[in-house]
Amino acid sequence: MRALIVSDIHSNLEAFEATLADAAAQGGFDVVWFLGDLVGYNADPGACIALLRSLPNVAIAGNHDHAVTGQLDPNLFNGAARAAALWTAEVLSAAELTYLAELPAVTQASDFTMAHGSLRDPIMEYLLNPDAAIATFTRLQTQFCLVGHSHYPLVWRETGDRPKGDLLDESNPPQLEPGQRLILNPGSVGQPRDGDWRASYLLYDSDAGPLGSLQYRRVEYDIAATQAKIRAAGLPESLANRLSEGR
Ligand code: ZN
């Protein structure tokens, strides 16, 4: 079984399509594991919902999904993110909003537990320091945890007293080894923030080795098309500009 692991698509259709095409070229996948924030920030929410739902998938909710449905107060967001959340709520159909509202906050597939933020606070916590990693390892019932939300591609390894976090490296993906628990963040498809504008994803192959293997990939997409759609929708200019910077 091969799973495409993606997070934070954020209504960026060009980045999502490029990711699917790249994964297909890497040998394909049987299922998409999606870690939340399907919408927000960019201008193609309905098309991204439809594309994910057209594929076999396991999906959970993120904070932007909840802000669009009203499950989270959009006033908790900064101005540009709030403007995009309110715009998205206007353009989506009732059925699309219901789909987002019914996404679970936490789920599990094989030996992977999935939450957008963390297992301590599935919707809102940014898992970016050892204490947050400890809090999630403490609650983790499977060997591996998958998170998104920070838009940083990261692996946290449980070692000794303090978990160790590293940015993912395309040439040296994390190894899945017996007894080694990991928290993995595939980075963001639709709005990377690690200084690299390319869409970011993981590909899991359960049949390679005893615990399976991971591949980490970055993929270019038609960023000018995404930016043109943001401007045409009247969304804040900063949302278009930040995509080029990967911030
Ligand atoms: Zn996000």
Side-chain angles (χ1 to χ4, degrees), residues 43-131:
D44 265 322
C48 288
I49 292 171
L51 184 51
L52 179 64
R53 295 184 77 182
S54 75
L55 302 164
N57 73 82
V58 177
I60 57 175
N63 54 317
H64 286 257
D65 306 317
H66 277 191
V68 166
T69 61
Q71 290 157 288
L72 185 75
D73 183 356
N75 290 314
L76 294 171
F77 286 178
N78 68 45
R82 180 170 60 244
L86 296 174
W87 176 87
T88 302
E90 286 296 315
V91 300
L92 288 182
S93 69
E96 288 165 336
L97 291 169
T98 299
Y99 168 74
L100 293 178
E102 290 179 348
L103 291 171
V106 180
T107 195
Q108 190 183 324
S110 55
D111 215 12
F112 294 77
T113 303
M114 310 178 196
H116 182 62
S118 73
L119 294 185
R120 176 162 66 182
D121 183 346
I123 299 295
M124 292 302 288
E125 183 177 27
Y126 291 94
L127 210 163
L128 286 172
N129 60 62
D131 289 330

Side-chain angles (χ1 to χ4, degrees), residues 7-8 35-37 60-63 105 114-118 122-123 146-149:
S7 191
D8 296 276
L35 306 173
D37 280 2
I60 57 175
N63 54 317
M114 310 178 196
H116 182 62
S118 73
I123 299 295
L146 299 173
V147 300
H149 191 42

